[in-house]
Every structure is written in C-alpha cells, then in structure tokens.
Amino acid sequence: MSNAAWHTRIVCGNEVGAGFLVSARQVLTCAHVVWRSDTSAVTVSFPHCKELGEVSATVAVRGGWAGGAADPGDLALLELDREIPLAPAVFAPPGAEHGSPSPELVAYGFPRGYDEGMLAQYRAVSGTLIADEWVQLEATTPHGQALEPGFSGAAVTLPDGRVVGMVSAVAGAKGVRVGRMLPTRVMARYWPELGSLVPPPGHHPDTVSRLCALARRAEAAGLDVDPNRLYVDAVGPFGPPLPDGGFPRLWWAAQYVQWEVTAPEAVTRFADRLAELLAQREEPANRPHSPAPGWSPILVEIDHSGAGGDQVTVEVSAYRDGQRRPVGTRRLPRAVVRSYVQEHIDQAFTQLAPGADELVAFVLPREWLNEPVAHWECGVEDSTPLGCAYPLVVADRSRHRSGAARHRLAKKWQRLDAAPGTALHRVECGTQENPAGLRKRLREDDAGLAGFAAPPGVGRPHFEAGLNAPVPVLLWARTGCPGSDHDGPCSGTAFLDGLSAFVAGLPPSELPRHIMELRETADAADASDEHWAKDVQLLWDDPRCFPDPAPSLHSPLA
C-alpha cells in the first residue's frame, strides 16, 4: 500500500480541502475548511484507498480561528466515526523545512476538477515566522501546480514524506505562486497532543518522553494541580509568560513547555515537580509519618575567604529550639583551622539544650568534601577522633544554601521517614554509566542512599550526579578505589559490600548515630587500617535540621 495513503480529501458544504491522518480516527485540517460544520456534514475520503469510501467526521478540536484571513489558530482536528486501517503520517523534527540548500516541499491538494488530487512543489522562504504564526512558501519553478483552493489543510512534506507543516493560506489571485503554512511547532499550540507525535525540538527525547508519560499519568489519576502555577514554577520569572487565558488542561501546559520554552531545564523542572506531586498523592493516606529526628546540630561552615588561596573563613554555630546561635567567625590560614574548630565546637555545646542529641555537621565547598574531618581529634588533651565521639556528617555548601535543593530534599526526607529502611544504590568501581544517566536513574528511583566505590576526586562526575539528583545521603571511603586501572581486588567494591550489609534496614534519619558507632568499631579493631569502614565519609543533608541557613560567609574585619 502507498506510503502516502494517509492523505485525505475533505468536503464540508461547498468547501473542499485536504487533510492528513494522524491516528486511526483523527485527521488534521484547516479550521476554515470545516467552518460550516455546524450546519453541513463533514466527510473524509482517502484518494489512495478508494475502497474505504467516504467517512463521516465531527470537529473535535478548533484552534480558535476567528474567521479572518489573517486570524491565527486556523487548525481543526476531526474525529472519524470509525477507525481507519492505515498507517498515519510521520512527522519530521521542527524546523526541518529549512536548510542549506532549502529542501523541496510537496503538498497534496484537491483543486477544482481534480478530485484525485494534485501535487504542488514549494520551498520555505525563511525561518522567520510571519506574525509568529506562518512560514511563507514560494514555488520552486514558474510553472507547475500553484497552491490554490483545495490545498488548504494539506500536509507539507519533505521529499521523504515526513510532515513539516500544513497549508493554511493559498494564492488569492491566479498566477500568484506563494502561500503559507503552519509549521508543526505552531500547530502544537492549538492541538498540544501533537507534541507526542513530533520529535522534540532541542530537548532530549528521554526527557520529553518522561514529561509526556507523567502528564498522561497525572490526568488519568485526576491529579488536582493548577497547570498555570506548574508552568510558572517551571519556566521561572524570566521565562515566556503564560499565554492568554492560561492552560485549561495539564497536558496543554506540559506540551507548551516542550514546544515554546527553549531552556531544557524548564522541561526537567516541570517533570520533576509533577513526579513529586504524583508520589505524594499515591502514598497511602494512612501511612504513618515520622517527624524529623530531634538532632541539635553544631554547624561548622568553612569556605574560601577571597583573600588568597591559603585563607579560609570559618563559622561555628549551634541550633537550639530551631534557632541558629552563632558561636564564632574568623578568617584564618588553613593550617590553624583545625585548632579553631576544636575550640569552638567545645564552646558550641554550651548553647545546646540539656540532654539534646548533638550532631556535628561540616558544611564544606564541594572540592573539600573529602577532607578527613571525622579523624580530627576532639582537642589538645583528647585524641578521640571527632567522628568517634559524636555523630558527624558533611554537607555540600552549594546544596545547603540552594532554596530549590532544600525544598526537594525536604520532600524526599518526608518519604524516607515513612519507610522502614532504604536500599543503597551502588556506584561501582569504573562504572561506565553516563553521569547524566546515573542522575536520571537516581531521580526516577527516588534514591535515598547512594554509596560510591571511589572518592569524589576519582569519580567526580558520578559523585556530582548524586549531589544534584539530589540524593539526601551519600557515603564513600575517603581513600577508596583509586580508579578502574588497578590490579587485584578492589577496595571500593569491598567497601560497598560491607556498607550494603550495614545500612540494610536502618532508618536514614538515624544513620549519623550508626555511622559514629561503625567508626568506633573500625577504630578499635586490631587491624584498624584494614577495616573496610576505616575512613567512611557520610554526607547527610536534612534541611529540616537547619531551618534558618545563615547568609553567605563573610570575611570579618581583623
């Protein structure tokens, strides 16, 4: 059967036009072809398959065309009264009508006297849209078939038959060899479901597929969400404004983000937020919810001072009753940071409530997250490692201060609190997984814990994927696997094996205490240097424990 069998001839009253099959029961055409459908029957026929006869149709979607030649929205979707056993049209990516050289475009229409159809050959004049709506078409030769009445609604195709648009305006006078078409990116404004049929414009196919799947799932589930608010949150304050009238459906908003917003992060934000809302809705209503653990953090923030590579700014504070209490701030050479921290952690305990469960948290620049802070001694007269004396964690400074990251992490912790335990997602030695693929997997699996065979400096792209997913809890061995090019057993694999068994069934909210006990066990072992957990590092980030992050560290005056 011809691969052009999806072309259709449409009759509505005295109007004759063209169209094209986009699904077993749906045909796209121009609104002005069927504008009398309220009083006249609409019939569709298939010139390449005459045995199908005439098929009755109704107008299911109108694009908002107001009736004038220069009015936008000249699109209609027809619903056939029966399914048609033909393959529908196939679409090219948006913008494929342009190129160097500009490709020849073909339209299949039905001018007067040619019920079987005629072909017209044209080219797109420019990538610039007329009035942000139409692509101008001009004939490739001074002879041959012109675009005239009967071509309205015809698919405009590349030489290989893929559709790039639809003829919407034909020559108004004999001998004029120009016309206009609606490109697919404009057609999708008026029928957003087209977005699932056309290859995505500038967005990764997996990202678009995820967005479409989530939007369908949300509409099928009857998710109560304002699509206009979701759109504004996704595009941000400087993104394209809401179209006039907003979005009547979630699906329309999702497709508009895909087609009209060029920033790829907007599609990701829209999908992420939708996934979060669906996860909240689908959690059983009677599932018990545990509040955030009653930690009383002592916060040690270290950052570059801006006064030279050897100078850092250190700030120590304590939390009590949800309020942050500064203990000390100083710009220091890196060589004396440890003694300053030891002294001020000791002072910070005076700010905690009696009987409070302390948690020492080092907030560090990303490149310093592998610092051995858990091995720092408690003080001049107490050689106990800080990580063996107190529950001690590290946190990424940029994530700690990001409003978006804190919001997403808080929602993840709500789900983690409701679960009895969380599986460890392993990132193995020498993994060949694309970092972006890892980030996607961690996000889609709603990962709560991730373990790394290699320290951040060895597998930084994969480590950052865990940070940016964001995964609330990351664990690794500071001196773990040095890289994939090593002989013999991998210490990173041994670390992950031991860690997987250790964390199984443990509540993530209590991991700081359990890791402290694990550090004590490793430190007290007869062969402590050979213990798999001898230098375990725990990045644990629950924003609910730090409700009032301080402004950015400053360099205090001497």
Side-chain angles (χ1 to χ4, degrees), residues 55-124:
V55 183
S56 297
T58 56
V59 179
V61 175
R62 297 181 187 271
W65 181 66
D71 288 331
D74 191 3
L75 175 145
L77 178 75
L78 307 183
E79 187 80 21
L80 305 178
D81 70 355
R82 69 174 189 267
E83 291 193 357
I84 302 301
L86 299 175
V90 175
F91 291 85
E97 65 271 18
H98 307 292
S100 182
S102 181
E104 293 182 347
L105 305 175
V106 178
Y108 192 143
F110 304 91
R112 184 181 298 274
Y114 294 93
D115 290 357
E116 72 282 7
M118 289 288 285
L119 298 174
Q121 191 167 286
Y122 278 69
R123 280 195 174 95

Side-chain angles (χ1 to χ4, degrees), residues 131-165:
D132 197 38
E133 183 84 2
W134 300 281
V135 169
Q136 183 170 320
L137 302 175
E138 290 187 356
T140 57
T141 70
H143 310 289
Q145 177 64 51
L147 291 179
E148 57 185 74
F151 276 86
S152 293
V156 180
T157 67
L158 297 170
D160 62 10
R162 290 179 299 160
V163 178
V164 296

Side-chain angles (χ1 to χ4, degrees), residues 299-306 310-317 324 326-345 361-365 368 376 397 401 552-556:
L299 204 64
V300 181
E301 295 187 81
I302 304 176
D303 197 15
H304 303 282
S305 72
D310 184 55
Q311 299 289 309
V312 298
T313 302
V314 183
E315 185 168 6
V316 180
S317 55
R324 187 173 181 276
V327 175
T329 302
R330 185 71 60 86
R331 187 177 69 198
L332 300 164
R334 290 192 66 176
V336 298
V337 166
R338 183 180 306 191
S339 60
Y340 181 86
V341 168
Q342 292 167 337
E343 175 185 351
H344 285 78
I345 284 179
F362 281 78
V363 179
L364 305 170
W368 293 349
W376 289 4
R397 180 170 175 75
R401 295 190 172 278
S552 296
L553 288 179
H554 60 281
S555 298

